[in-house]
Structures are given as structure tokens and as C-alpha cells.
Amino acid sequence: MRHIRYTFSHSSTDYYFAGGISNLKDIVDLQKTIFITDENIFNCYQKKFSNWDTLVIPSGEQYKVQATADRMIAQLLEKKADRKTTLIGIGGGVITDITGYVASIFMRGIRFGFIPTTLLAMVDASIGGKNGIDVGVFKNMVGIIRQPSFILHDLTFLNTLPVLEWQNGFAEIIKHASIKDAVLFKQLEESSIKKYQVRKKSLGELIERNVMLKSKLVKLDEFETGDRKLLNFGHTLGHALENLYKLSHGHAVSIGMSVAGLISEQRTGFKDSGRLIALLDKYGLPTAFEFDSKKVFEILKMDKKKAGNSMQYVLLNKIGKAVIKEIPIDNLEKWIESIASAR
Ligand SMILES: NC(=O)c1ccc[n+]([C@@H]2O[C@H](COP(=O)([O-])OP(=O)(O)OC[C@H]3O[C@@H](n4cnc5c(N)ncnc54)[C@H](O)[C@@H]3O)[C@@H](O)[C@H]2O)c1
């Protein structure tokens, strides 16, 4: 197991790569630790959970809400959790987001760590300390930025990951490559999900490269006043589509990135939206979707990135180089409508 410590503004996070649940004995006190997982993962890995006090919640984005957090808090009280308790979220992004959120509000904040079990949670959701819940159709509307004390990767969890979840993970990997890493973009063009599944060494390297890329952006701008915003590439439209049409996170972000690529052609002179769309397609991700732009715009107008009558939108100058542009909402609405009807 490889250990790296990343220091953020108020705290640090220990990353443990190529580890296993058994390594936790050296990181936390078994008597004072509660696992949080979802029913799918619990059913697949019951053996791994024996010996650990575990709280199981239903699986799915629709449970990333305050009612689930309230039930979890009631169960933590029943289990006599206190300020010395550590919560460990073992699961995908829904579990890491809600575990970090509950740990941050329970008794005004207790220690928490993650064992991400989806590719998406490994390369993205577990990193950076954004913990939160959805409110109706509004994604991540309530939450807090607070770093986990550790993140441990056990790649054996990926053996049971359905193909849709591999695709979702690659949506965020392609996002990272598009905004910051042209070399990675090229590597992805030359590879495929199947190749990464077979070549475990390349997969491990790919995951670490993405963890480092995101961690570096977060470290430089933990509270999202500058470059961290680039990570929202594809997410503004993506988030609106995700909850409105019950799309998976990666699929929604993929559509959002395709549209942002096409807007970039008009706004920044970006020339490679064809390459971006072809790469998303290669990783089984959707690049077009019929949607009701009126309904989508009602949600976009409530987005956290909106200020006054304009919105900060992440676009591409070229592959590996993203920029933030202030776009008047009216223009955005017209562009998105024309792109949606032309495809
Ligand atoms: N906090 C952040 O910075 C951040 C970043 C990106 C995404 N997110 C959030 O992450 C969520 C999406 O994460 P996700 O795609 O991991 O979704 P998820 O947590 O819903 O997991 C997807 C599905 O895979 C199942 N699963 C998980 N691990 C498995 C395994 N090893 N084997 C078999 N099945 C497994 C789950 O039970 C679930 O059904 C969204 O809520 C999104 O908003 C947060």
C-alpha cells in the first residue's frame, strides 16, 4: 500500500493506494468506527463488513437527501456514536457525499474517511471535501466543504462494478483530461474501457493520475474562487439534466460536456469538439439528448454558478486548456436551444 499526505488549507488527507479494508486496523480504532454503505455494496461484500459496525442505507441518488441524513443521525445516536467516532463511507459518490455531510453536521463535526468503490468515486467524488445532499431537482444544493481525514483505495471492489458505472467514471476522467491534461486525453483516445479492465497496472496509474490532478486543483483553490471551478466542466447543464430526467451522473455530465464543447466553438474558437464527442462516444457515453429546454433553464437559473443575469460557464480553449466565461443567461438559453435542436 502506498501512502501520500495532501495538505489543504485547514487539514490534511491521507491517501492510501492499492490497499484493502484490512489496512484500516492501522488507521482507525475498530471500536470507535462506523461504516456507512449502501445495500448493493453490502450484499456483494458481506464478508468484508463482518467485524465492523455497519449502517446500511438504500442505494441510489434519490436517497442523497436530508430525510436519509436524518435517519442516519438517529441510527448513529442509537449506536451511541459520539465525538470520538469515525465514520467511513464505503461506496460510490452518493455514499461519500452523504457520509461526509452527516459526519460534518453530527455533533458539529466528527472524523470521517472514505473507501470509494466506484471508479467515479475513486477519481472524483471522494476527493476535495465537497459533501452534500440534493433538494428536489436541485443537485448538491445543501452541503459543506470539509476534507476527509483519509481515502483508501481497494481496487478489488471494481471487479463487481457494472459497465454503466465504468462509463460514468470515465466521464469524469475525460473531463479531467479535457480541462487540464492533453497527454491523458491522447492516452484515452488510444485505449478503451476493456483495455483498462484487463491491464490492472494501467488502470491503477490512470486512477492515481486523476486523483493527483483533482487534488492539485483543490489544494490551490479549496473554496472554489478560481481554478477549482474548471472541474465544473459539463456539470452546469449536466446537473440540471441529471435529476430532471433521472440520468446517471456520468451520462448527464457527458451530454453537458458535449454541449459545452459546441458552445466553446462559438465562444472561444475551440476546434476539437468533434474529438471530444468521439472520445465520449468511445467510452460508451451519450453526447446528445432530447430535453425540454424551458424546464432545464428553470433549474439552471437556480444554479450556484449563476450571478445576476449571467452565468460562469466552463469552456475549452483547446484540449487540456479550460477557461471560465461569463455568459448572459439569454445567450446561453439561445445557444443551448439551437444546439439541442440541431442534433
Ligand atoms: N463531492 C464531489 O466532489 C462529487 C464529484 C462527482 C460526483 N459526485 C456525486 O457522486 C454521485 C455519483 O456517484 P456514483 O456514480 O459513484 O454513484 P452511486 O454512489 O450511486 O453508485 C452507483 C451504483 O453503483 C453501485 N456500486 C457502488 N460500488 C459498487 C461496486 N464496487 N460493485 C457493484 N456495484 C457498486 C451502487 O450501489 C449504485 O447502485 C452523485 O451524487 C454526484 O453528485 C460528487
Side-chain angles (χ1 to χ4, degrees), residues 38-41 44-45 59-61 64 90-97 116-121 124-132 134 139-140 156-162 165 168-169 172 175 214 228 235 239 242 248-250:
D38 76 25
E39 55 200 8
N40 278 345
I41 302 156
C44 280
Y45 294 100
S59 142
E61 183 73 27
K64 204 179 91 176
I90 307 189
V94 167
I95 287 294
T96 56
D97 277 10
T117 63
T118 61
L119 182 62
L120 185 143
D124 190 0
S126 63
I127 305 160
K130 280 192 184 177
N131 313 291
D134 304 334
K139 284 270 309 166
N140 306 327
T156 62
F157 276 111
L158 297 179
N159 295 339
T160 53
L161 199 66
E165 303 307 335
N168 283 327
E172 300 291 3
K175 176 192 78 180
K214 177 163 182 188
R228 183 171 185 175
H235 281 59
H239 275 166
E242 183 176 350
S248 67
H249 184 73

Side-chain angles (χ1 to χ4, degrees), residues 251-274:
H251 279 202
V253 167
S254 173
I255 297 160
M257 287 193 282
S258 311
V259 172
L262 292 165
I263 296 177
S264 304
E265 291 202 341
Q266 306 190 26
R267 191 72 170 71
T268 70
F270 176 59
K271 295 196 172 53
D272 276 327
S273 65

Side-chain angles (χ1 to χ4, degrees), residues 89-232:
I90 307 189
V94 167
I95 287 294
T96 56
D97 277 10
I98 201 161
T99 300
Y101 174 65
V102 167
S104 301
I105 55 173
F106 183 72
M107 297 196 174
R108 295 208 184 88
I110 60 173
R111 182 177 183 235
F112 67 102
F114 297 139
I115 303 185
T117 63
T118 61
L119 182 62
L120 185 143
M122 287 177 188
V123 299
D124 190 0
S126 63
I127 305 160
K130 280 192 184 177
N131 313 291
I133 52 165
D134 304 334
V135 178
V137 289
F138 302 112
K139 284 270 309 166
N140 306 327
M141 190 45 98
V142 168
I144 188 166
I145 296 184
R146 187 163 172 261
Q147 301 300 335
S149 67
F150 64 87
I151 300 171
L152 188 148
H153 282 194
D154 176 348
L155 297 194
T156 62
F157 276 111
L158 297 179
N159 295 339
T160 53
L161 199 66
V163 69
L164 170 73
E165 303 307 335
W166 281 89
Q167 294 167 352
N168 283 327
F170 272 98
E172 300 291 3
I173 290 173
I174 292 170
K175 176 192 78 180
H176 287 159
S178 303
I179 61 168
K180 274 280 167 197
D181 192 342
V183 174
L184 175 60
F185 196 96
K186 189 111 207 325
Q187 270 177 26
L188 292 166
E189 288 181 313
E190 286 159 5
S191 195
S192 67
I193 292 185
K194 278 227 161 68
K195 284 186 191 161
Y196 282 115
Q197 283 173 329
V198 176
R199 297 178 195 155
K200 300 282 184 227
K201 190 166 173 283
S202 321
L203 178 65
E205 285 165 2
L206 176 77
I207 291 171
E208 275 198 45
R209 186 177 182 124
N210 279 272
V211 169
M212 289 306 140
L213 187 153
K214 177 163 182 188
S215 303
K216 202 168 151 197
L217 272 174
V218 173
K219 188 181 159 90
L220 293 172
D221 176 27
E222 192 171 355
F223 297 99
E224 201 167 299
T225 52
D227 259 15
R228 183 171 185 175
K229 290 183 188 162
L230 301 179
L231 291 165
N232 294 324

Side-chain angles (χ1 to χ4, degrees), residues 179 229-230 232-234 260 312-316 322-325:
I179 61 168
K229 290 183 188 162
L230 301 179
N232 294 324
F233 179 56
Q312 293 204 317
Y313 219 85
V314 186
L315 300 176
L316 299 180
V323 279
I324 297 163
K325 295 278 183 198

